[in-house]
Amino acid sequence: MRFSTTNCKLLKDSINFNLSVGGTELNVAANISNLAAKPCADFYTVLPKNLLGEIVKRHCFKNRVNLIEGKQTSERMGLYFLEPKQGNKMGNVVFDRKNSAFAQSQATDYEIESKKYKIFHTSGIAIGTNPPTILNLVSYFFKNVNSDLYSFDCNYRSSMWSAQEAFASYQKLLTTAKINILFANSWDICQILKLTNLNIDINDKNQFAELCKLIFKKYKSLKYIICTKRNFKSNTETFGYQAMYFDGKDVYESSERYVATIIDRIGCGDAFVAGVLFKLLENSSIKEAVEYGLCCSWLKHSIYGDTLNLLQAEIEPYLEFDNSKLVNR
């Protein structure tokens, strides 16, 4: 659960907060099911058996997510408090996730169904809630879930754990799990490969290509590496928004979209991941999937809350051109 400050107040001066239900894996599941307009995503987690757990259950039901709960051993809900970016001041996040119901869960708490999945997805944020316990849990899921494709989003958060600890976990996971789709930028790849003394430009296409080739040589199960990049304009918060992907041979760049106004930054990356995976579930090409994911993420900047909460039909008018100044009458 996210508690966000209101009326541009600092966290330390706030007594009123807006509450949102989310978490990166749940956001991806909710976005995919909403795009499909039907329950098509299973979400594995552990919830406390109290009213906070009930709020999450209702959120899952509202967003067409099939909630599959593991055995509950803790009454705690994972929380975090957000002071959004305001003007020239950067945002702040305070995590309160230690000893939460999910962070304490282990493989023996779950019964993985024998059903076949098209894509299994998780992220580094899950592992960061309680390493190495959740690393073992995630590794167990990668090994035992029957899926056509396996996806992992690095999603490193420095306020949760150190880069050294995080990327050591990612290295172990990539070595033991059959990950096919990796959401990672050039900096992430450098950390995974333990490359130092590099002047990293995460927006540079050629550097991204060379780093992708290196990591493909080391981890043979990879099919795609995908990332987004923000091209900031001078003296303004407006930025060009693009995606890049590597398919084992070359790097391709998406079209560029411009973001001038941001309602909520939280969940924009999850909307991108969800859009990409949703289109791959529909057997679209990787190029179409990445373009679609970028459009989903671009729209999410204008929607408050953790989820995109749009149907596929509501995305389509924005795929070819910027319709943001028009009114749907």
Side-chain angles (χ1 to χ4, degrees):
M1 287 184 172
R2 164 166 61 118
F3 293 86
S4 303
T5 59
T6 61
N7 300 321
C8 301
K9 285 190 175 182
L10 299 175
L11 185 60
K12 61 187 177 182
D13 295 328
S14 295
I15 57 173
N16 297 313
F17 298 86
N18 286 327
L19 185 152
S20 301
V21 176
T24 182
E25 287 82 6
L26 178 53
N27 295 343
V28 171
N31 291 337
I32 289 175
S33 288
N34 284 331
L35 288 169
K38 63 181 180 181
C40 67
D42 288 352
F43 174 58
Y44 289 84
T45 194
V46 177
L47 298 174
K49 297 188 184 303
N50 54 33
L51 288 177
L52 297 183
E54 285 299 316
I55 292 173
V56 177
K57 289 180 182 180
R58 290 177 181 234
H59 177 83
C60 289
F61 179 79
K62 183 178 70 173
N63 288 281
R64 307 176 175 92
V65 173
N66 300 317
L67 174 63
I68 301 177
E69 291 187 78
K71 188 187 304 178
Q72 181 262 339
T73 57
S74 168
E75 286 291 337
R76 282 222 60 213
M77 172 69 71
L79 310 174
Y80 72 102
F81 297 82
L82 172 68
E83 178 185 284
K85 182 183 185 304
Q86 294 160 174
N88 296 324
K89 186 182 180 303
M90 69 175 64
N92 283 320
V93 171
V94 177
F95 287 108
D96 181 20
R97 294 176 169 175
K98 189 174 182 179
N99 298 321
S100 70
F102 169 74
Q104 296 301 306
S105 64
Q106 302 181 37
T108 53
D109 297 331
Y110 296 85
E111 293 183 6
I112 298 179
E113 298 180 356
S114 58
K115 65 191 293 186
K116 175 73 177 290
Y117 291 102
K118 289 187 176 181
I119 297 177
F120 171 73
H121 173 80
T122 191
S123 83
I125 289 183
I127 302 171
T129 59
N130 187 18
T133 299
I134 303 302
L135 175 60
N136 293 332
L137 175 65
V138 168
S139 298
Y140 172 81
F141 268 81
F142 270 109
K143 182 179 180 180
N144 291 279
V145 170
N146 185 9
S147 180
D148 293 332
L149 292 171
Y150 297 86
S151 170
F152 182 75
D153 185 358
C154 288
N155 226 338
Y156 170 64
R157 294 292 182 268
S158 60
S159 51
M160 290 185 70
W161 51 344
S162 69
Q164 183 178 4
E165 186 179 18
F167 287 96
S169 297
Y170 300 174
Q171 291 161 12
K172 290 179 181 178
L173 191 63
L174 281 161
T175 300
T176 58
K178 44 200 172 189
I179 294 173
N180 311 123
I181 303 169
L182 179 65
F183 291 90
N185 61 28
S186 293
W187 184 84
D188 295 325
I189 297 171
C190 283
Q191 299 300 311
I192 292 169
L193 295 177
K194 298 182 179 180
L195 298 176
T196 59
N197 301 321
L198 286 179
N199 184 18
I200 302 169
D201 180 357
I202 61 173
N203 289 343
D204 185 84
K205 177 182 176 180
N206 294 327
Q207 188 179 65
F208 182 65
E210 293 306 311
L211 291 169
C212 286
K213 290 174 184 176
L214 291 176
I215 198 169
F216 259 66
K217 287 181 180 179
K218 185 169 184 179
Y219 303 109
K220 305 298 183 181
S221 62
L222 289 173
K223 292 185 177 181
Y224 305 115
I225 299 179
I226 309 169
C227 71
T228 58
K229 62 177 183 175
R230 290 171 167 81
N231 307 310
F232 284 93
K233 310 305 176 184
S234 59
N235 300 320
T236 177
E237 286 196 349
T238 299
F239 60 87
Y241 196 37
Q242 281 183 285
M244 296 188 293
Y245 68 92
F246 182 74
D247 64 359
K249 294 181 180 179
D250 298 297
V251 167
Y252 300 89
E253 287 182 309
S254 72
S255 57
E256 187 173 35
R257 293 174 177 267
Y258 290 92
V259 177
T261 302
I262 299 174
I263 303 300
D264 197 344
R265 300 170 185 270
I266 304 297
C268 292
D270 301 331
F272 174 71
V273 171
V276 172
L277 298 184
F278 174 71
K279 277 300 176 181
L280 291 179
L281 287 168
E282 289 197 329
N283 299 316
S284 297
S285 69
I286 184 63
K287 181 180 185 299
E288 292 173 318
V290 169
E291 289 283 358
Y292 192 85
L294 187 75
C295 183
C296 289
S297 182
W298 174 75
L299 284 168
K300 175 60 189 71
H301 285 81
S302 301
I303 298 173
Y304 182 80
D306 282 48
T307 57
L308 178 64
N309 200 22
L310 293 176
L311 303 173
Q312 187 173 10
E314 295 175 297
I315 301 289
E316 289 175 356
Y318 298 94
L319 291 174
E320 297 301 327
F321 61 97
D322 181 358
N323 246 5
S324 60
K325 295 182 181 179
L326 302 180
V327 177
N328 186 21
R329 299 184 188 275

